[in-house]
Amino acid sequence: MHSQLTKLLILLLIAAGAATGFAYSRLQTARDHADMRQNDLAVCLKDLSEIASNSGQGIVVRAGVDDPELNRRLRSAATIAGVPNELVSIDPGPARQVRDTDYDETVVYLRLDNVTLRQLVTFLHQLSSRDKALRTKSLQLAPPAPTGIARPQVATTGAKPESGEPWTADVTLAYLSYSPHGNKP
């Protein structure tokens, strides 16, 4: 009996040793993965700080303004693109001072309904070619109505009717304007 108990104790000791070795191996692998992830995080944070310092996008929020000249430019580009009635909303956001400069950036949200891609591209081209301080930041298109559902006709002001699928476009523009900040508290 004493011999069986000794064998059982030795067997338990071997199993415990094997389990300890296996647990230590898994712990070491997890520690290595954690170190790799920590190094990746450090690299990402370094890259992010370089991007932020190089882009000059530290922005201070200032009160918003509504620029009638900007509205005129938008309406003019819409007319040239043949979509004067499809520009259904112009919503300027607040002006934000671009860090360490005398320039403000105003984000302007536009919605154009029932426009073809050709009309949309013409509209955006007219804006960017006439005013270098105005650029498109983002563009979202809602798909045209599914087949079988009546689609509204795309109206144009030109003599040639516009062909193509009508889309709803949400456009975000950035408008830079000179605004000296040296005299402001």
Side-chain angles (χ1 to χ4, degrees), residues 8 14 33 49 52 59-60 73 75-76 85 104 110-111 115 119 140 146-147 153 171 174 179 181:
L8 185 61
I14 291 172
H33 284 115
S49 68
I59 293 176
V60 179
R73 288 185 190 128
R75 295 287 178 196
S76 173
N85 298 324
D104 285 346
L110 306 176
R111 172 159 286 198
V115 295
Q119 291 170 323
Q140 293 180 339
T147 307
Q153 289 295 320
V171 181
S179 178
H181 298 281

PDB file of all heavy atoms in Angstrom, residues 8 14 33 49 52 59-60 73 75-76 85 104 110-111 115 119 140 146-147 153 171 174 179 181:
ATOM      1  N   LEU A   8       1.433   6.987  -6.648  1.00  0.00           N
ATOM      2  CA  LEU A   8       0.380   7.972  -6.905  1.00  0.00           C
ATOM      3  C   LEU A   8       0.884   9.386  -6.639  1.00  0.00           C
ATOM      4  O   LEU A   8       0.609  10.322  -7.394  1.00  0.00           O
ATOM      5  CB  LEU A   8      -0.853   7.669  -6.050  1.00  0.00           C
ATOM      6  CG  LEU A   8      -2.065   8.547  -6.295  1.00  0.00           C
ATOM      7  CD1 LEU A   8      -2.558   8.423  -7.736  1.00  0.00           C
ATOM      8  CD2 LEU A   8      -3.165   8.173  -5.318  1.00  0.00           C
ATOM      9  N   ILE A  14       4.366  14.676 -11.092  1.00  0.00           N
ATOM     10  CA  ILE A  14       4.704  14.800 -12.515  1.00  0.00           C
ATOM     11  C   ILE A  14       3.612  15.587 -13.246  1.00  0.00           C
ATOM     12  O   ILE A  14       3.891  16.488 -14.045  1.00  0.00           O
ATOM     13  CB  ILE A  14       4.923  13.409 -13.151  1.00  0.00           C
ATOM     14  CG1 ILE A  14       6.204  12.772 -12.588  1.00  0.00           C
ATOM     15  CG2 ILE A  14       4.995  13.513 -14.673  1.00  0.00           C
ATOM     16  CD1 ILE A  14       6.405  11.336 -13.011  1.00  0.00           C
ATOM     17  N   HIS A  33       3.167  38.712 -26.573  1.00  0.00           N
ATOM     18  CA  HIS A  33       2.150  39.394 -27.373  1.00  0.00           C
ATOM     19  C   HIS A  33       1.829  40.774 -26.798  1.00  0.00           C
ATOM     20  O   HIS A  33       1.647  41.740 -27.543  1.00  0.00           O
ATOM     21  CB  HIS A  33       0.872  38.554 -27.473  1.00  0.00           C
ATOM     22  CG  HIS A  33       0.990  37.412 -28.423  1.00  0.00           C
ATOM     23  ND1 HIS A  33       0.934  36.109 -28.009  1.00  0.00           N
ATOM     24  CD2 HIS A  33       1.171  37.376 -29.762  1.00  0.00           C
ATOM     25  CE1 HIS A  33       1.080  35.311 -29.050  1.00  0.00           C
ATOM     26  NE2 HIS A  33       1.229  36.049 -30.131  1.00  0.00           N
ATOM     27  N   SER A  49       1.222  61.699 -33.479  1.00  0.00           N
ATOM     28  CA  SER A  49       1.716  63.014 -33.056  1.00  0.00           C
ATOM     29  C   SER A  49       2.458  63.715 -34.192  1.00  0.00           C
ATOM     30  O   SER A  49       2.370  64.932 -34.339  1.00  0.00           O
ATOM     31  CB  SER A  49       2.608  62.896 -31.821  1.00  0.00           C
ATOM     32  OG  SER A  49       3.808  62.227 -32.129  1.00  0.00           O
ATOM     33  N   ALA A  52      -0.250  65.067 -36.544  1.00  0.00           N
ATOM     34  CA  ALA A  52      -0.904  66.239 -35.954  1.00  0.00           C
ATOM     35  C   ALA A  52       0.000  67.464 -36.002  1.00  0.00           C
ATOM     36  O   ALA A  52      -0.455  68.563 -36.311  1.00  0.00           O
ATOM     37  CB  ALA A  52      -1.325  65.946 -34.519  1.00  0.00           C
ATOM     38  N   ILE A  59      -7.121  73.173 -33.936  1.00  0.00           N
ATOM     39  CA  ILE A  59      -8.176  74.118 -34.269  1.00  0.00           C
ATOM     40  C   ILE A  59      -8.806  74.652 -32.991  1.00  0.00           C
ATOM     41  O   ILE A  59      -9.072  73.910 -32.063  1.00  0.00           O
ATOM     42  CB  ILE A  59      -9.240  73.436 -35.147  1.00  0.00           C
ATOM     43  CG1 ILE A  59      -8.611  73.098 -36.497  1.00  0.00           C
ATOM     44  CG2 ILE A  59     -10.464  74.292 -35.325  1.00  0.00           C
ATOM     45  CD1 ILE A  59      -9.510  72.338 -37.422  1.00  0.00           C
ATOM     46  N   VAL A  60      -9.028  75.948 -32.970  1.00  0.00           N
ATOM     47  CA  VAL A  60      -9.732  76.596 -31.875  1.00  0.00           C
ATOM     48  C   VAL A  60     -11.109  76.982 -32.393  1.00  0.00           C
ATOM     49  O   VAL A  60     -11.235  77.632 -33.427  1.00  0.00           O
ATOM     50  CB  VAL A  60      -8.961  77.861 -31.413  1.00  0.00           C
ATOM     51  CG1 VAL A  60      -9.695  78.551 -30.295  1.00  0.00           C
ATOM     52  CG2 VAL A  60      -7.552  77.490 -31.004  1.00  0.00           C
ATOM     53  N   ARG A  73     -21.486  82.242 -54.525  1.00  0.00           N
ATOM     54  CA  ARG A  73     -20.626  81.321 -55.279  1.00  0.00           C
ATOM     55  C   ARG A  73     -21.277  79.948 -55.436  1.00  0.00           C
ATOM     56  O   ARG A  73     -21.202  79.332 -56.499  1.00  0.00           O
ATOM     57  CB  ARG A  73     -19.278  81.168 -54.581  1.00  0.00           C
ATOM     58  CG  ARG A  73     -18.401  82.378 -54.698  1.00  0.00           C
ATOM     59  CD  ARG A  73     -17.046  82.106 -54.086  1.00  0.00           C
ATOM     60  NE  ARG A  73     -16.303  83.335 -54.001  1.00  0.00           N
ATOM     61  CZ  ARG A  73     -15.732  83.795 -52.907  1.00  0.00           C
ATOM     62  NH1 ARG A  73     -15.807  83.121 -51.796  1.00  0.00           N
ATOM     63  NH2 ARG A  73     -15.064  84.922 -52.919  1.00  0.00           N
ATOM     64  N   ARG A  75     -24.536  79.220 -55.337  1.00  0.00           N
ATOM     65  CA  ARG A  75     -25.690  79.321 -56.246  1.00  0.00           C
ATOM     66  C   ARG A  75     -25.228  79.467 -57.697  1.00  0.00           C
ATOM     67  O   ARG A  75     -25.816  78.890 -58.612  1.00  0.00           O
ATOM     68  CB  ARG A  75     -26.588  80.500 -55.854  1.00  0.00           C
ATOM     69  CG  ARG A  75     -27.253  80.347 -54.507  1.00  0.00           C
ATOM     70  CD  ARG A  75     -28.343  79.340 -54.563  1.00  0.00           C
ATOM     71  NE  ARG A  75     -28.931  79.182 -53.234  1.00  0.00           N
ATOM     72  CZ  ARG A  75     -29.689  78.178 -52.895  1.00  0.00           C
ATOM     73  NH1 ARG A  75     -29.989  77.254 -53.768  1.00  0.00           N
ATOM     74  NH2 ARG A  75     -30.161  78.088 -51.683  1.00  0.00           N
ATOM     75  N   SER A  76     -24.162  80.227 -57.913  1.00  0.00           N
ATOM     76  CA  SER A  76     -23.633  80.415 -59.263  1.00  0.00           C
ATOM     77  C   SER A  76     -23.130  79.086 -59.837  1.00  0.00           C
ATOM     78  O   SER A  76     -23.412  78.748 -60.991  1.00  0.00           O
ATOM     79  CB  SER A  76     -22.511  81.450 -59.245  1.00  0.00           C
ATOM     80  OG  SER A  76     -21.878  81.535 -60.488  1.00  0.00           O
ATOM     81  N   ASN A  85     -32.118  74.512 -58.807  1.00  0.00           N
ATOM     82  CA  ASN A  85     -33.202  74.189 -57.880  1.00  0.00           C
ATOM     83  C   ASN A  85     -32.922  72.934 -57.068  1.00  0.00           C
ATOM     84  O   ASN A  85     -33.667  72.624 -56.145  1.00  0.00           O
ATOM     85  CB  ASN A  85     -34.513  74.020 -58.650  1.00  0.00           C
ATOM     86  CG  ASN A  85     -34.899  75.306 -59.358  1.00  0.00           C
ATOM     87  OD1 ASN A  85     -34.673  76.399 -58.852  1.00  0.00           O
ATOM     88  ND2 ASN A  85     -35.462  75.165 -60.551  1.00  0.00           N
ATOM     89  N   ASP A 104      -9.454  81.317 -40.933  1.00  0.00           N
ATOM     90  CA  ASP A 104     -10.554  80.541 -40.365  1.00  0.00           C
ATOM     91  C   ASP A 104     -11.002  79.528 -41.400  1.00  0.00           C
ATOM     92  O   ASP A 104     -11.017  79.813 -42.594  1.00  0.00           O
ATOM     93  CB  ASP A 104     -11.756  81.433 -40.014  1.00  0.00           C
ATOM     94  CG  ASP A 104     -11.522  82.255 -38.755  1.00  0.00           C
ATOM     95  OD1 ASP A 104     -10.573  81.962 -38.012  1.00  0.00           O
ATOM     96  OD2 ASP A 104     -12.310  83.188 -38.524  1.00  0.00           O
ATOM     97  N   LEU A 110     -23.773  70.765 -47.623  1.00  0.00           N
ATOM     98  CA  LEU A 110     -24.709  70.987 -48.725  1.00  0.00           C
ATOM     99  C   LEU A 110     -25.504  69.717 -48.986  1.00  0.00           C
ATOM    100  O   LEU A 110     -25.007  68.614 -48.778  1.00  0.00           O
ATOM    101  CB  LEU A 110     -23.956  71.329 -50.019  1.00  0.00           C
ATOM    102  CG  LEU A 110     -22.971  72.472 -50.011  1.00  0.00           C
ATOM    103  CD1 LEU A 110     -22.286  72.555 -51.357  1.00  0.00           C
ATOM    104  CD2 LEU A 110     -23.666  73.765 -49.696  1.00  0.00           C
ATOM    105  N   ARG A 111     -26.713  69.893 -49.465  1.00  0.00           N
ATOM    106  CA  ARG A 111     -27.499  68.762 -49.962  1.00  0.00           C
ATOM    107  C   ARG A 111     -28.022  69.125 -51.331  1.00  0.00           C
ATOM    108  O   ARG A 111     -28.616  70.175 -51.527  1.00  0.00           O
ATOM    109  CB  ARG A 111     -28.665  68.437 -49.048  1.00  0.00           C
ATOM    110  CG  ARG A 111     -29.571  67.377 -49.728  1.00  0.00           C
ATOM    111  CD  ARG A 111     -30.406  66.640 -48.806  1.00  0.00           C
ATOM    112  NE  ARG A 111     -29.585  65.692 -48.069  1.00  0.00           N
ATOM    113  CZ  ARG A 111     -30.090  64.665 -47.434  1.00  0.00           C
ATOM    114  NH1 ARG A 111     -31.374  64.452 -47.436  1.00  0.00           N
ATOM    115  NH2 ARG A 111     -29.325  63.851 -46.778  1.00  0.00           N
ATOM    116  N   VAL A 115     -29.727  64.855 -58.663  1.00  0.00           N
ATOM    117  CA  VAL A 115     -28.665  65.289 -59.575  1.00  0.00           C
ATOM    118  C   VAL A 115     -27.966  64.068 -60.155  1.00  0.00           C
ATOM    119  O   VAL A 115     -27.857  63.025 -59.507  1.00  0.00           O
ATOM    120  CB  VAL A 115     -27.617  66.194 -58.877  1.00  0.00           C
ATOM    121  CG1 VAL A 115     -28.230  67.490 -58.425  1.00  0.00           C
ATOM    122  CG2 VAL A 115     -26.956  65.491 -57.717  1.00  0.00           C
ATOM    123  N   GLN A 119     -23.652  66.236 -63.355  1.00  0.00           N
ATOM    124  CA  GLN A 119     -24.019  67.541 -62.792  1.00  0.00           C
ATOM    125  C   GLN A 119     -23.278  67.794 -61.484  1.00  0.00           C
ATOM    126  O   GLN A 119     -22.813  68.911 -61.236  1.00  0.00           O
ATOM    127  CB  GLN A 119     -25.533  67.613 -62.558  1.00  0.00           C
ATOM    128  CG  GLN A 119     -26.339  67.660 -63.827  1.00  0.00           C
ATOM    129  CD  GLN A 119     -27.820  67.473 -63.559  1.00  0.00           C
ATOM    130  OE1 GLN A 119     -28.222  66.702 -62.692  1.00  0.00           O
ATOM    131  NE2 GLN A 119     -28.633  68.190 -64.328  1.00  0.00           N
ATOM    132  N   GLN A 140     -21.137  62.153 -49.925  1.00  0.00           N
ATOM    133  CA  GLN A 140     -21.923  60.943 -49.704  1.00  0.00           C
ATOM    134  C   GLN A 140     -23.074  60.939 -50.690  1.00  0.00           C
ATOM    135  O   GLN A 140     -23.764  61.944 -50.843  1.00  0.00           O
ATOM    136  CB  GLN A 140     -22.472  60.892 -48.285  1.00  0.00           C
ATOM    137  CG  GLN A 140     -21.402  60.733 -47.234  1.00  0.00           C
ATOM    138  CD  GLN A 140     -21.984  60.679 -45.839  1.00  0.00           C
ATOM    139  OE1 GLN A 140     -23.094  61.113 -45.591  1.00  0.00           O
ATOM    140  NE2 GLN A 140     -21.211  60.137 -44.923  1.00  0.00           N
ATOM    141  N   PRO A 146     -34.944  52.348 -56.565  1.00  0.00           N
ATOM    142  CA  PRO A 146     -34.845  51.016 -57.175  1.00  0.00           C
ATOM    143  C   PRO A 146     -35.683  50.910 -58.446  1.00  0.00           C
ATOM    144  O   PRO A 146     -36.647  51.650 -58.627  1.00  0.00           O
ATOM    145  CB  PRO A 146     -35.381  50.084 -56.100  1.00  0.00           C
ATOM    146  CG  PRO A 146     -35.420  50.872 -54.840  1.00  0.00           C
ATOM    147  CD  PRO A 146     -35.468  52.311 -55.219  1.00  0.00           C
ATOM    148  N   THR A 147     -35.322  49.947 -59.305  1.00  0.00           N
ATOM    149  CA  THR A 147     -36.052  49.720 -60.551  1.00  0.00           C
ATOM    150  C   THR A 147     -37.496  49.377 -60.231  1.00  0.00           C
ATOM    151  O   THR A 147     -37.784  48.649 -59.306  1.00  0.00           O
ATOM    152  CB  THR A 147     -35.401  48.567 -61.337  1.00  0.00           C
ATOM    153  OG1 THR A 147     -34.019  48.851 -61.490  1.00  0.00           O
ATOM    154  CG2 THR A 147     -36.048  48.399 -62.686  1.00  0.00           C
ATOM    155  N   GLN A 153     -37.897  63.185 -62.784  1.00  0.00           N
ATOM    156  CA  GLN A 153     -37.117  63.638 -63.928  1.00  0.00           C
ATOM    157  C   GLN A 153     -36.046  64.607 -63.451  1.00  0.00           C
ATOM    158  O   GLN A 153     -36.269  65.421 -62.568  1.00  0.00           O
ATOM    159  CB  GLN A 153     -38.025  64.356 -64.941  1.00  0.00           C
ATOM    160  CG  GLN A 153     -38.959  63.412 -65.665  1.00  0.00           C
ATOM    161  CD  GLN A 153     -38.186  62.429 -66.530  1.00  0.00           C
ATOM    162  OE1 GLN A 153     -37.212  62.788 -67.161  1.00  0.00           O
ATOM    163  NE2 GLN A 153     -38.625  61.180 -66.532  1.00  0.00           N
ATOM    164  N   VAL A 171     -22.707  66.898 -49.437  1.00  0.00           N
ATOM    165  CA  VAL A 171     -21.341  67.355 -49.678  1.00  0.00           C
ATOM    166  C   VAL A 171     -20.879  68.179 -48.483  1.00  0.00           C
ATOM    167  O   VAL A 171     -21.623  69.031 -47.979  1.00  0.00           O
ATOM    168  CB  VAL A 171     -21.269  68.221 -50.961  1.00  0.00           C
ATOM    169  CG1 VAL A 171     -19.852  68.677 -51.234  1.00  0.00           C
ATOM    170  CG2 VAL A 171     -21.829  67.470 -52.154  1.00  0.00           C
ATOM    171  N   ALA A 174     -14.930  72.717 -47.194  1.00  0.00           N
ATOM    172  CA  ALA A 174     -14.139  73.516 -46.261  1.00  0.00           C
ATOM    173  C   ALA A 174     -13.812  74.822 -46.969  1.00  0.00           C
ATOM    174  O   ALA A 174     -13.323  74.824 -48.094  1.00  0.00           O
ATOM    175  CB  ALA A 174     -12.865  72.788 -45.865  1.00  0.00           C
ATOM    176  N   SER A 179      -8.805  86.063 -41.660  1.00  0.00           N
ATOM    177  CA  SER A 179      -9.403  86.733 -40.516  1.00  0.00           C
ATOM    178  C   SER A 179      -8.306  86.982 -39.484  1.00  0.00           C
ATOM    179  O   SER A 179      -8.013  86.104 -38.671  1.00  0.00           O
ATOM    180  CB  SER A 179     -10.520  85.858 -39.937  1.00  0.00           C
ATOM    181  OG  SER A 179     -11.076  86.469 -38.809  1.00  0.00           O
ATOM    182  N   HIS A 181      -6.242  87.544 -36.359  1.00  0.00           N
ATOM    183  CA  HIS A 181      -6.583  87.269 -34.973  1.00  0.00           C
ATOM    184  C   HIS A 181      -5.652  87.973 -33.992  1.00  0.00           C
ATOM    185  O   HIS A 181      -5.778  87.786 -32.791  1.00  0.00           O
ATOM    186  CB  HIS A 181      -6.530  85.755 -34.700  1.00  0.00           C
ATOM    187  CG  HIS A 181      -7.522  84.992 -35.522  1.00  0.00           C
ATOM    188  ND1 HIS A 181      -8.840  84.932 -35.204  1.00  0.00           N
ATOM    189  CD2 HIS A 181      -7.359  84.274 -36.655  1.00  0.00           C
ATOM    190  CE1 HIS A 181      -9.470  84.197 -36.099  1.00  0.00           C
ATOM    191  NE2 HIS A 181      -8.590  83.796 -37.009  1.00  0.00           N
TER     192      HIS A 181
END
